[in-house]
Amino acid sequence: MHTSIIAAPAAAVGIEGGKILGSVGAGGIALVLTLILWTGIRDPKGGGGAGPAAAGGGGGGKKSRIRKRLTSDQAQWVGVAAGTFYMVAGSIWVVGRNLSDAFASVFTGGGFGTAGLGAVSLLLACLMYFRELSPGKAALTGIIAAGVWAQAGGIWGLPQALILTGAQAIGAT
């Protein structure tokens, strides 16, 4: 006696249309990058668990610890990526572009002579390269730089082009 088992074909599991992360979108990436910045640059409420309570001493409640803390360089480049996606996402994320516009207008408004967006871009690049800022200030500088660089064009548009090309390649935008 022979019994045959007929199995229904399983749903195809795979990456549909090259979307490795599923349907994320620019707003979703902006939200995730903002969360990374917020959690990566903040000190924990419990003081990081580095005091006597963390060593087994007293202490009244659960202490928060940081798993990964962003360095100054990491924070500024995550800021550049976040600022890029703020511009692409639009909606509530226009604050990043407004911040960049306000910063650039300080230098391009005539108070410093004839200074264009290329000069402001160079100023930001020098600040990012030669100064080690705290992670919070580095992240803010990165967000501002993303908007200024995108508007300046030329070689300054390369970070935006690379970020958006990479995001499109994995189907995130």
Side-chain angles (χ1 to χ4, degrees):
M1 177 167 173
H2 181 273
T3 306
S4 65
I5 299 174
I6 300 175
V13 176
I15 300 171
E16 183 178 321
K19 293 185 178 186
I20 293 173
L21 300 176
S23 179
V24 179
I29 293 176
L31 183 64
V32 169
L33 290 173
T34 302
L35 177 71
I36 290 169
L37 286 172
W38 182 63
T39 58
I41 64 177
R42 291 187 65 221
D43 286 326
K45 292 239 184 225
K62 185 176 179 183
K63 300 294 182 189
S64 177
R65 294 187 309 161
I66 296 177
R67 218 176 258 244
K68 300 284 182 206
R69 182 152 173 99
L70 293 174
T71 65
S72 178
D73 287 341
Q74 290 169 336
Q76 75 185 11
W77 290 111
V78 172
V80 169
T84 299
F85 283 104
Y86 293 165
M87 290 183 296
V88 173
S91 191
I92 66 167
W93 302 110
V94 297
V95 171
R97 183 174 192 129
N98 293 343
L99 201 61
S100 297
D101 290 345
F103 181 83
S105 70
V106 169
F107 300 99
T108 59
F112 288 91
T114 309
L117 287 174
V120 179
S121 298
L122 188 58
L123 178 117
L124 284 165
C126 288
L127 179 66
M128 293 169 74
Y129 184 77
F130 290 109
R131 296 292 300 181
E132 185 171 347
L133 304 170
S134 68
K137 290 177 184 174
L140 182 61
T141 303
I143 292 168
I144 291 170
V148 173
W149 291 348
Q151 293 177 57
I155 195 169
W156 303 110
L158 285 177
Q160 180 186 29
L162 290 172
I163 291 167
L164 294 178
T165 301
Q168 189 173 23
I170 62 171
T173 58

